[in-house]
PDB file of all heavy atoms in Angstrom:
ATOM      1  N   PHE A 725     121.343  79.043 102.835  1.00  0.00           N
ATOM      2  CA  PHE A 725     121.553  78.463 101.526  1.00  0.00           C
ATOM      3  C   PHE A 725     121.618  79.524 100.431  1.00  0.00           C
ATOM      4  O   PHE A 725     122.475  79.465  99.536  1.00  0.00           O
ATOM      5  CB  PHE A 725     120.448  77.451 101.208  1.00  0.00           C
ATOM      6  CG  PHE A 725     120.765  76.040 101.631  1.00  0.00           C
ATOM      7  CD1 PHE A 725     120.363  75.567 102.876  1.00  0.00           C
ATOM      8  CD2 PHE A 725     121.514  75.202 100.837  1.00  0.00           C
ATOM      9  CE1 PHE A 725     120.640  74.267 103.284  1.00  0.00           C
ATOM     10  CE2 PHE A 725     121.819  73.901 101.230  1.00  0.00           C
ATOM     11  CZ  PHE A 725     121.390  73.444 102.475  1.00  0.00           C
ATOM     12  N   VAL A 726     120.705  80.507 100.472  1.00  0.00           N
ATOM     13  CA  VAL A 726     120.656  81.487  99.387  1.00  0.00           C
ATOM     14  C   VAL A 726     121.822  82.456  99.416  1.00  0.00           C
ATOM     15  O   VAL A 726     121.990  83.262  98.500  1.00  0.00           O
ATOM     16  CB  VAL A 726     119.312  82.262  99.391  1.00  0.00           C
ATOM     17  CG1 VAL A 726     118.152  81.305  99.140  1.00  0.00           C
ATOM     18  CG2 VAL A 726     119.116  83.042 100.669  1.00  0.00           C
ATOM     19  N   ARG A 727     122.651  82.357 100.435  1.00  0.00           N
ATOM     20  CA  ARG A 727     123.886  83.151 100.431  1.00  0.00           C
ATOM     21  C   ARG A 727     124.975  82.514  99.585  1.00  0.00           C
ATOM     22  O   ARG A 727     125.976  83.129  99.263  1.00  0.00           O
ATOM     23  CB  ARG A 727     124.392  83.322 101.872  1.00  0.00           C
ATOM     24  CG  ARG A 727     123.568  84.337 102.680  1.00  0.00           C
ATOM     25  CD  ARG A 727     123.748  84.193 104.165  1.00  0.00           C
ATOM     26  NE  ARG A 727     125.125  84.252 104.597  1.00  0.00           N
ATOM     27  CZ  ARG A 727     125.515  84.127 105.884  1.00  0.00           C
ATOM     28  NH1 ARG A 727     124.597  83.924 106.803  1.00  0.00           N
ATOM     29  NH2 ARG A 727     126.786  84.198 106.211  1.00  0.00           N
ATOM     30  N   LEU A 728     124.759  81.261  99.176  1.00  0.00           N
ATOM     31  CA  LEU A 728     125.713  80.563  98.347  1.00  0.00           C
ATOM     32  C   LEU A 728     125.493  80.909  96.883  1.00  0.00           C
ATOM     33  O   LEU A 728     124.368  81.199  96.454  1.00  0.00           O
ATOM     34  CB  LEU A 728     125.567  79.043  98.532  1.00  0.00           C
ATOM     35  CG  LEU A 728     125.743  78.528  99.953  1.00  0.00           C
ATOM     36  CD1 LEU A 728     125.453  77.026  99.996  1.00  0.00           C
ATOM     37  CD2 LEU A 728     127.165  78.793 100.453  1.00  0.00           C
ATOM     38  N   LYS A 729     126.549  80.861  96.108  1.00  0.00           N
ATOM     39  CA  LYS A 729     126.489  81.255  94.696  1.00  0.00           C
ATOM     40  C   LYS A 729     125.484  80.419  93.919  1.00  0.00           C
ATOM     41  O   LYS A 729     124.703  80.942  93.114  1.00  0.00           O
ATOM     42  CB  LYS A 729     127.872  81.125  94.059  1.00  0.00           C
ATOM     43  CG  LYS A 729     127.929  81.558  92.599  1.00  0.00           C
ATOM     44  CD  LYS A 729     129.333  81.458  92.040  1.00  0.00           C
ATOM     45  CE  LYS A 729     129.365  81.881  90.578  1.00  0.00           C
ATOM     46  NZ  LYS A 729     130.753  81.773  90.020  1.00  0.00           N
ATOM     47  N   SER A 730     125.467  79.109  94.167  1.00  0.00           N
ATOM     48  CA  SER A 730     124.581  78.216  93.418  1.00  0.00           C
ATOM     49  C   SER A 730     123.116  78.417  93.760  1.00  0.00           C
ATOM     50  O   SER A 730     122.226  78.124  92.972  1.00  0.00           O
ATOM     51  CB  SER A 730     124.967  76.752  93.650  1.00  0.00           C
ATOM     52  OG  SER A 730     124.931  76.443  95.036  1.00  0.00           O
ATOM     53  N   TRP A 731     122.844  78.923  94.969  1.00  0.00           N
ATOM     54  CA  TRP A 731     121.463  79.121  95.431  1.00  0.00           C
ATOM     55  C   TRP A 731     120.996  80.569  95.311  1.00  0.00           C
ATOM     56  O   TRP A 731     119.800  80.836  95.419  1.00  0.00           O
ATOM     57  CB  TRP A 731     121.315  78.671  96.863  1.00  0.00           C
ATOM     58  CG  TRP A 731     121.083  77.194  97.017  1.00  0.00           C
ATOM     59  CD1 TRP A 731     121.950  76.183  96.706  1.00  0.00           C
ATOM     60  CD2 TRP A 731     119.906  76.554  97.516  1.00  0.00           C
ATOM     61  NE1 TRP A 731     121.389  74.979  96.977  1.00  0.00           N
ATOM     62  CE2 TRP A 731     120.136  75.150  97.489  1.00  0.00           C
ATOM     63  CE3 TRP A 731     118.675  77.015  97.992  1.00  0.00           C
ATOM     64  CZ2 TRP A 731     119.183  74.230  97.901  1.00  0.00           C
ATOM     65  CZ3 TRP A 731     117.719  76.092  98.405  1.00  0.00           C
ATOM     66  CH2 TRP A 731     117.988  74.725  98.365  1.00  0.00           C
ATOM     67  N   ALA A 732     121.885  81.488  95.094  1.00  0.00           N
ATOM     68  CA  ALA A 732     121.511  82.918  95.084  1.00  0.00           C
ATOM     69  C   ALA A 732     120.408  83.243  94.066  1.00  0.00           C
ATOM     70  O   ALA A 732     119.513  84.062  94.362  1.00  0.00           O
ATOM     71  CB  ALA A 732     122.747  83.779  94.827  1.00  0.00           C
ATOM     72  N   PRO A 733     120.411  82.654  92.868  1.00  0.00           N
ATOM     73  CA  PRO A 733     119.358  82.987  91.896  1.00  0.00           C
ATOM     74  C   PRO A 733     118.071  82.175  92.035  1.00  0.00           C
ATOM     75  O   PRO A 733     117.139  82.340  91.230  1.00  0.00           O
ATOM     76  CB  PRO A 733     120.031  82.699  90.542  1.00  0.00           C
ATOM     77  CG  PRO A 733     120.992  81.608  90.822  1.00  0.00           C
ATOM     78  CD  PRO A 733     121.463  81.796  92.246  1.00  0.00           C
ATOM     79  N   VAL A 734     117.983  81.299  93.038  1.00  0.00           N
ATOM     80  CA  VAL A 734     116.808  80.417  93.178  1.00  0.00           C
ATOM     81  C   VAL A 734     115.527  81.225  93.385  1.00  0.00           C
ATOM     82  O   VAL A 734     115.468  82.112  94.231  1.00  0.00           O
ATOM     83  CB  VAL A 734     117.029  79.431  94.349  1.00  0.00           C
ATOM     84  CG1 VAL A 734     115.713  78.778  94.752  1.00  0.00           C
ATOM     85  CG2 VAL A 734     118.059  78.386  93.977  1.00  0.00           C
ATOM     86  N   GLU A 735     114.509  80.884  92.598  1.00  0.00           N
ATOM     87  CA  GLU A 735     113.220  81.582  92.666  1.00  0.00           C
ATOM     88  C   GLU A 735     112.160  80.775  93.400  1.00  0.00           C
ATOM     89  O   GLU A 735     111.193  81.337  93.929  1.00  0.00           O
ATOM     90  CB  GLU A 735     112.729  81.863  91.243  1.00  0.00           C
ATOM     91  CG  GLU A 735     113.683  82.681  90.413  1.00  0.00           C
ATOM     92  CD  GLU A 735     113.386  82.568  88.911  1.00  0.00           C
ATOM     93  OE1 GLU A 735     112.362  83.110  88.492  1.00  0.00           O
ATOM     94  OE2 GLU A 735     114.168  81.910  88.199  1.00  0.00           O
ATOM     95  N   ARG A 736     112.322  79.438  93.422  1.00  0.00           N
ATOM     96  CA  ARG A 736     111.319  78.603  94.058  1.00  0.00           C
ATOM     97  C   ARG A 736     112.007  77.391  94.673  1.00  0.00           C
ATOM     98  O   ARG A 736     112.938  76.845  94.089  1.00  0.00           O
ATOM     99  CB  ARG A 736     110.270  78.152  93.060  1.00  0.00           C
ATOM    100  CG  ARG A 736     109.110  77.347  93.670  1.00  0.00           C
ATOM    101  CD  ARG A 736     108.065  77.040  92.602  1.00  0.00           C
ATOM    102  NE  ARG A 736     107.525  78.261  92.037  1.00  0.00           N
ATOM    103  CZ  ARG A 736     107.120  78.387  90.772  1.00  0.00           C
ATOM    104  NH1 ARG A 736     107.194  77.354  89.941  1.00  0.00           N
ATOM    105  NH2 ARG A 736     106.656  79.530  90.334  1.00  0.00           N
ATOM    106  N   ILE A 737     111.521  76.988  95.847  1.00  0.00           N
ATOM    107  CA  ILE A 737     112.088  75.820  96.522  1.00  0.00           C
ATOM    108  C   ILE A 737     110.951  74.820  96.762  1.00  0.00           C
ATOM    109  O   ILE A 737     109.937  75.135  97.387  1.00  0.00           O
ATOM    110  CB  ILE A 737     112.736  76.196  97.874  1.00  0.00           C
ATOM    111  CG1 ILE A 737     113.871  77.194  97.668  1.00  0.00           C
ATOM    112  CG2 ILE A 737     113.249  74.927  98.568  1.00  0.00           C
ATOM    113  CD1 ILE A 737     114.454  77.742  98.959  1.00  0.00           C
ATOM    114  N   VAL A 738     111.134  73.618  96.236  1.00  0.00           N
ATOM    115  CA  VAL A 738     110.212  72.517  96.496  1.00  0.00           C
ATOM    116  C   VAL A 738     110.677  71.832  97.777  1.00  0.00           C
ATOM    117  O   VAL A 738     111.855  71.519  97.923  1.00  0.00           O
ATOM    118  CB  VAL A 738     110.231  71.495  95.338  1.00  0.00           C
ATOM    119  CG1 VAL A 738     109.315  70.326  95.649  1.00  0.00           C
ATOM    120  CG2 VAL A 738     109.848  72.163  94.035  1.00  0.00           C
ATOM    121  N   VAL A 739     109.766  71.611  98.706  1.00  0.00           N
ATOM    122  CA  VAL A 739     110.108  70.945  99.960  1.00  0.00           C
ATOM    123  C   VAL A 739     109.456  69.573  99.970  1.00  0.00           C
ATOM    124  O   VAL A 739     108.236  69.456  99.891  1.00  0.00           O
ATOM    125  CB  VAL A 739     109.657  71.766 101.181  1.00  0.00           C
ATOM    126  CG1 VAL A 739     110.121  71.085 102.481  1.00  0.00           C
ATOM    127  CG2 VAL A 739     110.212  73.190 101.108  1.00  0.00           C
ATOM    128  N   GLY A 740     110.298  68.535 100.025  1.00  0.00           N
ATOM    129  CA  GLY A 740     109.808  67.181 100.013  1.00  0.00           C
ATOM    130  C   GLY A 740     110.251  66.419 101.239  1.00  0.00           C
ATOM    131  O   GLY A 740     110.539  67.001 102.296  1.00  0.00           O
ATOM    132  N   GLY A 741     110.350  65.110 101.108  1.00  0.00           N
ATOM    133  CA  GLY A 741     110.668  64.271 102.256  1.00  0.00           C
ATOM    134  C   GLY A 741     109.386  63.902 103.010  1.00  0.00           C
ATOM    135  O   GLY A 741     108.326  64.496 102.810  1.00  0.00           O
ATOM    136  N   GLY A 742     109.510  62.929 103.866  1.00  0.00           N
ATOM    137  CA  GLY A 742     108.343  62.417 104.589  1.00  0.00           C
ATOM    138  C   GLY A 742     107.614  63.460 105.423  1.00  0.00           C
ATOM    139  O   GLY A 742     106.385  63.386 105.572  1.00  0.00           O
ATOM    140  N   PHE A 743     108.315  64.444 105.940  1.00  0.00           N
ATOM    141  CA  PHE A 743     107.692  65.458 106.797  1.00  0.00           C
ATOM    142  C   PHE A 743     106.665  66.287 106.031  1.00  0.00           C
ATOM    143  O   PHE A 743     105.686  66.745 106.615  1.00  0.00           O
ATOM    144  CB  PHE A 743     108.780  66.369 107.388  1.00  0.00           C
ATOM    145  CG  PHE A 743     108.279  67.344 108.413  1.00  0.00           C
ATOM    146  CD1 PHE A 743     107.828  66.909 109.640  1.00  0.00           C
ATOM    147  CD2 PHE A 743     108.263  68.703 108.149  1.00  0.00           C
ATOM    148  CE1 PHE A 743     107.361  67.816 110.596  1.00  0.00           C
ATOM    149  CE2 PHE A 743     107.811  69.612 109.099  1.00  0.00           C
ATOM    150  CZ  PHE A 743     107.359  69.169 110.324  1.00  0.00           C
ATOM    151  N   SER A 744     106.897  66.458 104.715  1.00  0.00           N
ATOM    152  CA  SER A 744     105.959  67.282 103.930  1.00  0.00           C
ATOM    153  C   SER A 744     104.644  66.585 103.676  1.00  0.00           C
ATOM    154  O   SER A 744     103.675  67.211 103.275  1.00  0.00           O
ATOM    155  CB  SER A 744     106.603  67.650 102.583  1.00  0.00           C
ATOM    156  OG  SER A 744     106.791  66.504 101.776  1.00  0.00           O
ATOM    157  N   ASP A 745     104.583  65.270 103.954  1.00  0.00           N
ATOM    158  CA  ASP A 745     103.356  64.504 103.748  1.00  0.00           C
ATOM    159  C   ASP A 745     102.497  64.530 104.996  1.00  0.00           C
ATOM    160  O   ASP A 745     102.118  63.500 105.555  1.00  0.00           O
ATOM    161  CB  ASP A 745     103.706  63.058 103.359  1.00  0.00           C
ATOM    162  CG  ASP A 745     102.484  62.208 103.123  1.00  0.00           C
ATOM    163  OD1 ASP A 745     101.503  62.743 102.537  1.00  0.00           O
ATOM    164  OD2 ASP A 745     102.482  61.025 103.506  1.00  0.00           O
ATOM    165  N   SER A 746     102.189  65.704 105.472  1.00  0.00           N
ATOM    166  CA  SER A 746     101.345  65.866 106.659  1.00  0.00           C
ATOM    167  C   SER A 746     100.876  67.309 106.697  1.00  0.00           C
ATOM    168  O   SER A 746     101.483  68.208 106.100  1.00  0.00           O
ATOM    169  CB  SER A 746     102.115  65.563 107.948  1.00  0.00           C
ATOM    170  OG  SER A 746     103.162  66.489 108.156  1.00  0.00           O
ATOM    171  N   ARG A 747      99.756  67.544 107.364  1.00  0.00           N
ATOM    172  CA  ARG A 747      99.270  68.912 107.508  1.00  0.00           C
ATOM    173  C   ARG A 747     100.256  69.716 108.329  1.00  0.00           C
ATOM    174  O   ARG A 747     100.486  70.910 108.061  1.00  0.00           O
ATOM    175  CB  ARG A 747      97.897  68.889 108.175  1.00  0.00           C
ATOM    176  CG  ARG A 747      97.227  70.259 108.257  1.00  0.00           C
ATOM    177  CD  ARG A 747      96.956  70.808 106.890  1.00  0.00           C
ATOM    178  NE  ARG A 747      96.241  72.096 106.935  1.00  0.00           N
ATOM    179  CZ  ARG A 747      96.184  72.943 105.920  1.00  0.00           C
ATOM    180  NH1 ARG A 747      96.798  72.650 104.774  1.00  0.00           N
ATOM    181  NH2 ARG A 747      95.499  74.067 106.023  1.00  0.00           N
ATOM    182  N   VAL A 748     100.843  69.103 109.343  1.00  0.00           N
ATOM    183  CA  VAL A 748     101.848  69.770 110.164  1.00  0.00           C
ATOM    184  C   VAL A 748     103.010  70.236 109.301  1.00  0.00           C
ATOM    185  O   VAL A 748     103.438  71.403 109.372  1.00  0.00           O
ATOM    186  CB  VAL A 748     102.356  68.839 111.277  1.00  0.00           C
ATOM    187  CG1 VAL A 748     103.602  69.404 111.938  1.00  0.00           C
ATOM    188  CG2 VAL A 748     101.278  68.615 112.328  1.00  0.00           C
ATOM    189  N   GLY A 749     103.536  69.361 108.455  1.00  0.00           N
ATOM    190  CA  GLY A 749     104.650  69.740 107.590  1.00  0.00           C
ATOM    191  C   GLY A 749     104.294  70.820 106.615  1.00  0.00           C
ATOM    192  O   GLY A 749     105.059  71.756 106.390  1.00  0.00           O
ATOM    193  N   GLN A 750     103.118  70.717 106.027  1.00  0.00           N
ATOM    194  CA  GLN A 750     102.699  71.718 105.021  1.00  0.00           C
ATOM    195  C   GLN A 750     102.506  73.090 105.662  1.00  0.00           C
ATOM    196  O   GLN A 750     102.850  74.103 105.061  1.00  0.00           O
ATOM    197  CB  GLN A 750     101.417  71.248 104.340  1.00  0.00           C
ATOM    198  CG  GLN A 750     101.650  70.047 103.442  1.00  0.00           C
ATOM    199  CD  GLN A 750     100.370  69.329 103.059  1.00  0.00           C
ATOM    200  OE1 GLN A 750      99.265  69.784 103.394  1.00  0.00           O
ATOM    201  NE2 GLN A 750     100.509  68.217 102.365  1.00  0.00           N
ATOM    202  N   LEU A 751     101.972  73.124 106.881  1.00  0.00           N
ATOM    203  CA  LEU A 751     101.842  74.404 107.597  1.00  0.00           C
ATOM    204  C   LEU A 751     103.199  74.994 107.927  1.00  0.00           C
ATOM    205  O   LEU A 751     103.389  76.222 107.838  1.00  0.00           O
ATOM    206  CB  LEU A 751     101.019  74.217 108.875  1.00  0.00           C
ATOM    207  CG  LEU A 751      99.506  73.983 108.675  1.00  0.00           C
ATOM    208  CD1 LEU A 751      98.855  73.681 110.017  1.00  0.00           C
ATOM    209  CD2 LEU A 751      98.863  75.208 108.030  1.00  0.00           C
ATOM    210  N   ALA A 752     104.144  74.132 108.313  1.00  0.00           N
ATOM    211  CA  ALA A 752     105.497  74.627 108.614  1.00  0.00           C
ATOM    212  C   ALA A 752     106.141  75.211 107.365  1.00  0.00           C
ATOM    213  O   ALA A 752     106.807  76.256 107.420  1.00  0.00           O
ATOM    214  CB  ALA A 752     106.344  73.489 109.178  1.00  0.00           C
ATOM    215  N   ILE A 753     105.936  74.549 106.223  1.00  0.00           N
ATOM    216  CA  ILE A 753     106.502  75.055 104.963  1.00  0.00           C
ATOM    217  C   ILE A 753     105.866  76.380 104.597  1.00  0.00           C
ATOM    218  O   ILE A 753     106.554  77.342 104.221  1.00  0.00           O
ATOM    219  CB  ILE A 753     106.278  74.002 103.851  1.00  0.00           C
ATOM    220  CG1 ILE A 753     107.089  72.738 104.137  1.00  0.00           C
ATOM    221  CG2 ILE A 753     106.662  74.599 102.485  1.00  0.00           C
ATOM    222  CD1 ILE A 753     106.689  71.545 103.291  1.00  0.00           C
ATOM    223  N   GLY A 754     104.552  76.450 104.719  1.00  0.00           N
ATOM    224  CA  GLY A 754     103.854  77.693 104.391  1.00  0.00           C
ATOM    225  C   GLY A 754     104.271  78.836 105.300  1.00  0.00           C
ATOM    226  O   GLY A 754     104.477  79.968 104.865  1.00  0.00           O
ATOM    227  N   ARG A 755     104.404  78.542 106.587  1.00  0.00           N
ATOM    228  CA  ARG A 755     104.817  79.582 107.556  1.00  0.00           C
ATOM    229  C   ARG A 755     106.231  80.039 107.279  1.00  0.00           C
ATOM    230  O   ARG A 755     106.520  81.235 107.335  1.00  0.00           O
ATOM    231  CB  ARG A 755     104.688  79.029 108.977  1.00  0.00           C
ATOM    232  CG  ARG A 755     105.185  79.975 110.056  1.00  0.00           C
ATOM    233  CD  ARG A 755     104.403  81.283 110.119  1.00  0.00           C
ATOM    234  NE  ARG A 755     104.940  82.171 111.134  1.00  0.00           N
ATOM    235  CZ  ARG A 755     105.195  83.466 110.949  1.00  0.00           C
ATOM    236  NH1 ARG A 755     104.937  84.029 109.759  1.00  0.00           N
ATOM    237  NH2 ARG A 755     105.685  84.199 111.926  1.00  0.00           N
ATOM    238  N   ALA A 756     107.141  79.106 106.949  1.00  0.00           N
ATOM    239  CA  ALA A 756     108.517  79.502 106.638  1.00  0.00           C
ATOM    240  C   ALA A 756     108.536  80.406 105.416  1.00  0.00           C
ATOM    241  O   ALA A 756     109.325  81.369 105.346  1.00  0.00           O
ATOM    242  CB  ALA A 756     109.363  78.251 106.381  1.00  0.00           C
ATOM    243  N   GLY A 757     107.662  80.114 104.423  1.00  0.00           N
ATOM    244  CA  GLY A 757     107.585  80.969 103.237  1.00  0.00           C
ATOM    245  C   GLY A 757     107.165  82.389 103.592  1.00  0.00           C
ATOM    246  O   GLY A 757     107.700  83.372 103.034  1.00  0.00           O
ATOM    247  N   ILE A 758     106.200  82.517 104.501  1.00  0.00           N
ATOM    248  CA  ILE A 758     105.746  83.842 104.936  1.00  0.00           C
ATOM    249  C   ILE A 758     106.874  84.576 105.669  1.00  0.00           C
ATOM    250  O   ILE A 758     107.078  85.779 105.463  1.00  0.00           O
ATOM    251  CB  ILE A 758     104.496  83.726 105.807  1.00  0.00           C
ATOM    252  CG1 ILE A 758     103.309  83.233 104.965  1.00  0.00           C
ATOM    253  CG2 ILE A 758     104.169  85.046 106.507  1.00  0.00           C
ATOM    254  CD1 ILE A 758     102.063  82.938 105.772  1.00  0.00           C
ATOM    255  N   ILE A 759     107.586  83.867 106.527  1.00  0.00           N
ATOM    256  CA  ILE A 759     108.707  84.479 107.254  1.00  0.00           C
ATOM    257  C   ILE A 759     109.743  85.028 106.276  1.00  0.00           C
ATOM    258  O   ILE A 759     110.220  86.175 106.391  1.00  0.00           O
ATOM    259  CB  ILE A 759     109.372  83.462 108.199  1.00  0.00           C
ATOM    260  CG1 ILE A 759     108.400  83.086 109.305  1.00  0.00           C
ATOM    261  CG2 ILE A 759     110.656  84.017 108.787  1.00  0.00           C
ATOM    262  CD1 ILE A 759     108.855  81.879 110.128  1.00  0.00           C
ATOM    263  N   LEU A 760     110.074  84.237 105.272  1.00  0.00           N
ATOM    264  CA  LEU A 760     111.067  84.685 104.274  1.00  0.00           C
ATOM    265  C   LEU A 760     110.558  85.872 103.479  1.00  0.00           C
ATOM    266  O   LEU A 760     111.290  86.804 103.189  1.00  0.00           O
ATOM    267  CB  LEU A 760     111.400  83.522 103.328  1.00  0.00           C
ATOM    268  CG  LEU A 760     112.197  82.370 103.968  1.00  0.00           C
ATOM    269  CD1 LEU A 760     112.188  81.170 103.042  1.00  0.00           C
ATOM    270  CD2 LEU A 760     113.624  82.805 104.249  1.00  0.00           C
ATOM    271  N   SER A 761     109.260  85.828 103.134  1.00  0.00           N
ATOM    272  CA  SER A 761     108.689  86.924 102.371  1.00  0.00           C
ATOM    273  C   SER A 761     108.714  88.237 103.153  1.00  0.00           C
ATOM    274  O   SER A 761     109.062  89.294 102.607  1.00  0.00           O
ATOM    275  CB  SER A 761     107.231  86.590 102.004  1.00  0.00           C
ATOM    276  OG  SER A 761     106.635  87.664 101.298  1.00  0.00           O
ATOM    277  N   THR A 762     108.371  88.180 104.437  1.00  0.00           N
ATOM    278  CA  THR A 762     108.388  89.396 105.268  1.00  0.00           C
ATOM    279  C   THR A 762     109.815  89.904 105.478  1.00  0.00           C
ATOM    280  O   THR A 762     110.009  91.082 105.779  1.00  0.00           O
ATOM    281  CB  THR A 762     107.716  89.158 106.614  1.00  0.00           C
ATOM    282  OG1 THR A 762     108.356  88.071 107.288  1.00  0.00           O
ATOM    283  CG2 THR A 762     106.244  88.830 106.430  1.00  0.00           C
ATOM    284  N   ASP A 763     110.796  89.011 105.307  1.00  0.00           N
ATOM    285  CA  ASP A 763     112.190  89.418 105.404  1.00  0.00           C
ATOM    286  C   ASP A 763     112.731  89.986 104.100  1.00  0.00           C
ATOM    287  O   ASP A 763     113.904  90.400 104.020  1.00  0.00           O
ATOM    288  CB  ASP A 763     113.067  88.228 105.801  1.00  0.00           C
ATOM    289  CG  ASP A 763     112.912  87.843 107.258  1.00  0.00           C
ATOM    290  OD1 ASP A 763     112.288  88.632 108.016  1.00  0.00           O
ATOM    291  OD2 ASP A 763     113.382  86.754 107.651  1.00  0.00           O
ATOM    292  N   GLY A 764     111.909  89.957 103.062  1.00  0.00           N
ATOM    293  CA  GLY A 764     112.324  90.511 101.784  1.00  0.00           C
ATOM    294  C   GLY A 764     112.888  89.506 100.810  1.00  0.00           C
ATOM    295  O   GLY A 764     113.395  89.882  99.737  1.00  0.00           O
ATOM    296  N   HIS A 765     112.798  88.223 101.123  1.00  0.00           N
ATOM    297  CA  HIS A 765     113.297  87.181 100.211  1.00  0.00           C
ATOM    298  C   HIS A 765     112.178  86.770  99.241  1.00  0.00           C
ATOM    299  O   HIS A 765     111.134  86.289  99.670  1.00  0.00           O
ATOM    300  CB  HIS A 765     113.761  85.942 100.994  1.00  0.00           C
ATOM    301  CG  HIS A 765     114.976  86.180 101.817  1.00  0.00           C
ATOM    302  ND1 HIS A 765     116.249  86.179 101.290  1.00  0.00           N
ATOM    303  CD2 HIS A 765     115.123  86.428 103.148  1.00  0.00           C
ATOM    304  CE1 HIS A 765     117.125  86.423 102.260  1.00  0.00           C
ATOM    305  NE2 HIS A 765     116.458  86.577 103.397  1.00  0.00           N
TER     306      HIS A 765
END
């Protein structure tokens, strides 16, 4: 997504939907954030 022009300047992404309403979903979101951070995003 961030390779697209409209998403390139994005600083924060809110993750919603039913999956985020669980500890499993929140851990997945947090882990994805760490992966992106270690990649330099």
Side-chain angles (χ1 to χ4, degrees):
F725 269 94
V726 298
R727 285 161 55 181
L728 302 175
K729 182 178 180 180
S730 57
W731 276 66
V734 165
E735 302 161 72
R736 185 176 300 147
I737 300 173
V738 178
V739 184
F743 187 68
S744 66
D745 181 38
S746 65
R747 186 62 177 163
V748 167
Q750 291 164 5
L751 287 174
I753 293 165
R755 175 62 182 133
I758 291 174
I759 293 168
L760 291 167
S761 178
T762 57
D763 286 349
H765 292 281

